Amino acid sequence: MSTSRGARQLTIKEVASHAGVSPMTVSRTLAGGRNVRPDLQERVMAAVQELGYYRNENARSLRPGQPSGLVGVAITNLANPYYGNFALGVEEVAAEHGRRIMLGNSGEDDARERQLVSDFIGRQVDGLILVPTSGEAEHLRPERLGDVPLVLASRRVPGLEVDTVLLDDVGGAYRGTVSLLDAGHTRIGFLGNRSSVFTGERRYRGYEQAMAERGLVVDPLIVARAQQDVAAASRAARAMLDLEDAPTAIFSANNRNTIGALREIGRRIREGLPGPAVVSFDDFELSELMPVPVTIIDHDARLLGREAATLLFSRLDGSAEGAPRTVELPVTIEHP
Amino acid sequence: MSTSRGARQLTIKEVASHAGVSPMTVSRTLAGGRNVRPDLQERVMAAVQELGYYRNENARSLRPGQPSGLVGVAITNLANPYYGNFALGVEEVAAEHGRRIMLGNSGEDDARERQLVSDFIGRQVDGLILVPTSGEAEHLRPERLGDVPLVLASRRVPGLEVDTVLLDDVGGAYRGTVSLLDAGHTRIGFLGNRSSVFTGERRYRGYEQAMAERGLVVDPLIVARAQQDVAAASRAARAMLDLEDAPTAIFSANNRNTIGALREIGRRIREGLPGPAVVSFDDFELSELMPVPVTIIDHDARLLGREAATLLFSRLDGSAEGAPRTVELPVTIEHP
DNA sequence: TTCGAGGTTGGTAACGTTACCAATCTCAAG
DNA sequence: CTTGAGATTGGTAACGTTACCAACCTCGAA
């Protein structure tokens, strides 16, 4: 019975003396029981049960060569359901490999990301999975990480050659835009992230490419690339749709912009104004119930997480060596 | 330059000899620099920078009395955006207290939860925050946890008296149901979780109470309480609405059931069938654009996470002692 | 000048664990 | 009965860190 204060930690020694064996026998039993007599193993396990002993994993990983079994995961915005699913995918694969994840939210803040990474390293993580903010790469150089393998997800960091899992941003945006063009639209607005955000840039490129192929010039008046949240996206959509020469369709480069745009479009429709067609990079629930047709460029964030973790563990297991690899996951297009 | 294999860990000793001081001086400097000459501190910090040294937090926490700075968080379903926000709230407060979180997903599986908890304990977490599965409480008893403080969120565990953060499930469900009754509905269907899930039970109770107050008997034909995912919720809604005597309104006890119900309702409306009014416990985006009026019983999952973490840290700081506390967070009702 | 208080520095031991080695035991073959 | 191979067991040291103590230094007061 452990009481309020102090309550010294239960150690392998107590278990050993309780079972009448040496600490080494307890350690060996807990490690799988190779070369330990079955009756002693039983006594040890009984003592463990009775005392409620948990092995101290920190002390264990202190010995050289012992992995900590921890993976550090830093994402940019846990409030976004996409990143929740991403984290879930990572957690699943980690659990399958007997590892645990330490999760941090960088909130797109560079300094916070640096702090998270150094903290993860200090806690002896076996590997790192990062959705990088768009800042510097200095703190992510392999030599700064002390040989802890790093996998980037969703975004690349300029000048940093490491394992990376990406979406087919350019292709998805291209195909989504083409579907609008095929439907007869020629004046297509764009809502997206700052161009310094990797995905924002790539998705814009796909949009631009499709427009250019049809000989259409992109009008800067109907391109808004600075919205990081729903409210800003709503305002940008409003400005665009209030124009004399308003777009008849909108390409939205991510979930947050789509929700904002649709909020504004819903408002207009309730006022009897026309609503433009929408293509959204990123799915959202009940898109089929929207008052305007919404085409979805969909992908599986959970799978993205699983792939990132798989890439990491292939490095940890030594089953993959050599040059950094990039996996680009396909996206699907769902017409309304 | 650290090369591929081996690459022994950089220790405080290397830093010390590089700075020409003893390891103790390095330790003291890193601990805040009390009673260390400024010029030596500078030499130490320069060496830390130059070598890229990170203190080994595991070794650090091995010393008795040193906290690990880790909080174990186990939630039931990270794919649900609510729990993503919950985790975010916990992470935020933990970061404010200089702590890191270890995150596990139990997937409503009892065995997995037990495994997570014992793993967290083995990794010397300073505290635990749990959205419990509905199973046993044995592995959560204080004496089994070795004095590691535990906070439950969202749900209670029968027979376990610990700090808990809950929502006002009963009151919210009651008020939501009353709003339907006030609008003239008397035949109100119920969609929810298994009754063994704490919130499922409480929300049903609120619904039942409101009905009883108006002298209405709940018809078991329009009560479905076994759906854990969107597809099952859709089927349940369909069965209910296909009845001769179909409900004119539906009370949905959670996000997943709401989405499922609305998917079915949207289908019916496209076919020209009538759609019932909906009250949803849990918000979702773009609810204002639905083809039927949706009343939202809303709450802040992120705040729930923040409250849980705050409760935990008040135990860790010793600013709270004594009997377990329960915090019940209010919910708001948003009419369409 | 001596003394002592207080600031600064370093050596030692300990935290809980396991790799390594040495010691002991078992048992079959000679 | 001896030998030795192999299985089993335990003692010791080390992982990286910091609390504790002892030693030293500085400087003002007596």
Side-chain angles (χ1 to χ4, degrees):
Chain A
M1 178 69 77
S2 46
T3 44
S4 56
R5 62 182 40 264
R8 279 266 296 71
Q9 190 184 350
L10 202 53
T11 78
I12 206 171
K13 279 187 193 151
E14 274 110 305
V15 176
S17 72
H18 199 268
V21 298
S22 78
M24 270 313 300
T25 300
V26 178
S27 173
R28 271 190 277 254
T29 301
L30 261 33
R34 282 189 52 73
N35 292 350
V36 180
R37 244 167 48 210
D39 59 319
L40 286 192
Q41 291 196 41
E42 272 174 44
R43 280 201 347 239
V44 168
M45 293 317 267
V48 165
Q49 275 295 317
E50 188 167 345
L51 298 174
Y53 167 78
Y54 297 94
R55 183 165 57 185
N56 183 331
E57 294 295 329
N58 286 355
R60 183 174 149 79
S61 73
L62 191 57
R63 316 245 34 250
Q66 294 282 357
S68 69
L70 287 174
V71 174
V73 180
I75 64 187
T76 53
N77 181 11
L78 194 50
N80 187 329
Y82 268 90
Y83 288 116
N85 273 292
F86 173 79
L88 178 61
V90 174
E91 201 269 350
E92 283 174 356
V93 175
E96 287 161 17
H97 286 77
R99 310 300 218 294
R100 207 56 69 210
I101 68 172
M102 279 176 35
L103 184 70
N105 194 67
S106 69
E108 299 282 3
D109 176 357
D110 226 40
R112 182 112 181 73
E113 175 182 294
R114 264 196 300 280
Q115 197 193 343
L116 277 171
V117 167
S118 65
D119 199 89
F120 286 157
I121 300 282
R123 289 176 193 284
Q124 313 302 114
V125 294
D126 298 333
L128 287 168
I129 294 180
L130 223 64
V131 178
T133 65
S134 356
E136 278 191 78
E138 212 38 62
H139 61 295
L140 298 178
R141 299 245 101 84
E143 63 271 21
R144 293 280 291 131
L145 298 182
D147 291 322
V148 175
L150 166 67
V151 174
L152 297 180
S154 247
R155 307 170 180 175
R156 224 187 263 285
V157 173
L160 189 66
E161 297 282 315
V162 297
D163 288 340
T164 307
V165 187
L166 299 175
L167 292 176
D168 179 14
D169 295 298
V170 181
Y174 172 84
R175 283 159 58 206
T177 308
V178 162
S179 83
L180 287 176
L181 293 165
D182 284 348
H185 297 282
T186 54
R187 194 154 170 79
I188 304 173
F190 181 95
L191 295 175
N193 273 339
R194 315 190 299 274
S195 65
S196 66
V197 175
F198 183 76
T199 51
E201 181 55 30
R202 303 226 305 170
R203 291 172 192 181
Y204 181 75
R205 207 180 329 142
Y207 159 83
E208 205 176 24
Q209 214 172 75
M211 296 289 277
E213 264 186 31
R214 303 285 172 110
L216 295 169
V217 183
V218 174
D219 177 358
L221 275 179
I222 57 170
V223 169
R225 303 178 67 186
Q227 311 81 244
Q228 303 281 33
D229 59 59
V230 170
S234 258
R235 286 192 300 274
R238 182 170 201 166
M240 210 174 269
L241 293 171
D242 275 343
L243 289 175
E244 184 80 20
D245 191 12
T248 62
I250 287 185
F251 178 97
S252 162
N254 60 51
N255 182 292
R256 297 295 85 192
N257 273 288
T258 301
I259 302 295
L262 285 168
R263 208 161 264 178
E264 169 63 14
I265 289 169
R267 203 186 57 78
R268 301 177 87 84
I269 285 183
R270 277 195 299 278
E271 291 179 4
L273 296 168
V278 172
V279 169
S280 166
F281 206 115
D282 285 353
D283 191 17
F284 62 99
E285 286 179 325
L286 300 176
S287 61
E288 77 271 23
L289 298 188
M290 291 299 114
V292 291
V294 180
T295 299
I296 301 289
I297 304 165
D298 193 20
H299 60 94
D300 187 342
R302 186 163 164 184
L303 183 61
L304 197 72
R306 292 192 64 97
E307 285 291 331
T310 302
L311 226 44
L312 180 66
F313 287 120
S314 75
R315 293 284 176 188
L316 291 177
D317 303 349
S319 63
E321 291 197 33
R325 291 163 298 167
T326 294
V327 174
E328 194 162 288
L329 295 179
V331 300
T332 60
I333 304 229
E334 287 162 25
H335 294 284
Chain B
M1 177 68 77
S2 48
T3 43
S4 57
R5 62 183 41 265
R8 280 266 298 71
Q9 189 183 352
L10 202 51
T11 78
I12 206 172
K13 280 187 193 151
E14 273 111 305
V15 177
S17 72
H18 198 267
V21 298
S22 79
M24 270 313 299
T25 299
V26 178
S27 174
R28 272 190 276 255
T29 302
L30 263 31
R34 282 189 53 73
N35 290 352
V36 179
R37 244 167 47 212
D39 59 318
L40 286 193
Q41 291 195 42
E42 272 174 44
R43 289 220 316 259
V44 168
M45 294 316 268
V48 165
Q49 274 296 316
E50 188 168 344
L51 297 174
Y53 167 78
Y54 297 94
R55 183 165 60 185
N56 183 333
E57 295 295 330
N58 286 354
R60 184 174 149 77
S61 72
L62 190 57
R63 315 240 39 246
Q66 294 282 356
S68 68
L70 286 175
V71 174
V73 180
I75 64 186
T76 52
N77 181 12
L78 194 50
N80 187 329
Y82 269 88
Y83 288 116
N85 273 292
F86 174 81
L88 178 61
V90 174
E91 199 271 349
E92 282 174 357
V93 176
E96 286 161 17
H97 286 77
R99 311 301 216 293
R100 207 56 69 213
I101 68 172
M102 278 176 37
L103 184 71
N105 194 68
S106 68
E108 299 283 2
D109 176 356
D110 226 40
R112 183 116 180 68
E113 175 182 295
R114 263 197 301 281
Q115 196 193 344
L116 278 171
V117 168
S118 65
D119 199 89
F120 287 156
I121 300 282
R123 289 176 195 284
Q124 312 303 113
V125 292
D126 299 333
L128 286 169
I129 294 180
L130 223 64
V131 178
T133 65
S134 354
E136 278 191 79
E138 213 37 64
H139 62 295
L140 299 178
R141 298 244 102 83
E143 63 271 22
R144 293 279 291 133
L145 297 182
D147 290 323
V148 175
L150 167 67
V151 174
L152 297 181
S154 248
R155 307 171 180 174
R156 227 186 258 288
V157 173
L160 190 66
E161 297 285 313
V162 297
D163 288 341
T164 307
V165 187
L166 298 176
L167 291 176
D168 180 13
D169 294 298
V170 181
Y174 172 84
R175 284 158 59 205
T177 309
V178 162
S179 85
L180 288 175
L181 293 165
D182 284 347
H185 296 282
T186 54
R187 194 154 172 78
I188 304 173
F190 181 95
L191 294 175
N193 273 338
R194 311 191 302 273
S195 64
S196 65
V197 174
F198 183 78
T199 51
E201 182 54 28
R202 303 224 308 167
R203 292 172 190 181
Y204 181 74
R205 209 179 330 140
Y207 158 81
E208 206 176 22
Q209 215 171 76
M211 296 289 277
E213 265 185 30
R214 304 284 172 112
L216 294 169
V217 182
V218 174
D219 177 357
L221 275 178
I222 56 170
V223 169
R225 304 178 66 186
Q227 313 79 245
Q228 303 281 32
D229 60 57
V230 170
S234 257
R235 286 192 301 272
R238 182 171 201 165
M240 211 173 270
L241 294 171
D242 276 345
L243 288 176
E244 185 81 18
D245 191 13
T248 62
I250 286 185
F251 179 96
S252 162
N254 60 49
N255 182 291
R256 297 296 84 193
N257 274 287
T258 302
I259 302 294
L262 285 168
R263 206 161 266 176
E264 168 63 14
I265 290 169
R267 203 185 57 78
R268 300 178 88 84
I269 286 183
R270 277 195 299 278
E271 290 180 4
L273 296 168
V278 173
V279 169
S280 166
F281 208 117
D282 287 353
D283 190 17
F284 62 99
E285 286 179 322
L286 301 178
S287 62
E288 78 271 22
L289 298 188
M290 292 298 111
V292 292
V294 180
T295 300
I296 301 290
I297 304 165
D298 195 20
H299 59 97
D300 188 342
R302 187 163 162 184
L303 183 61
L304 196 73
R306 293 191 64 96
E307 285 292 331
T310 303
L311 226 45
L312 180 67
F313 287 119
S314 75
R315 293 287 177 186
L316 291 177
D317 303 350
S319 64
E321 290 197 33
R325 291 162 300 168
T326 295
V327 174
E328 193 163 289
L329 295 179
V331 302
T332 61
I333 304 230
E334 288 162 25
H335 295 282

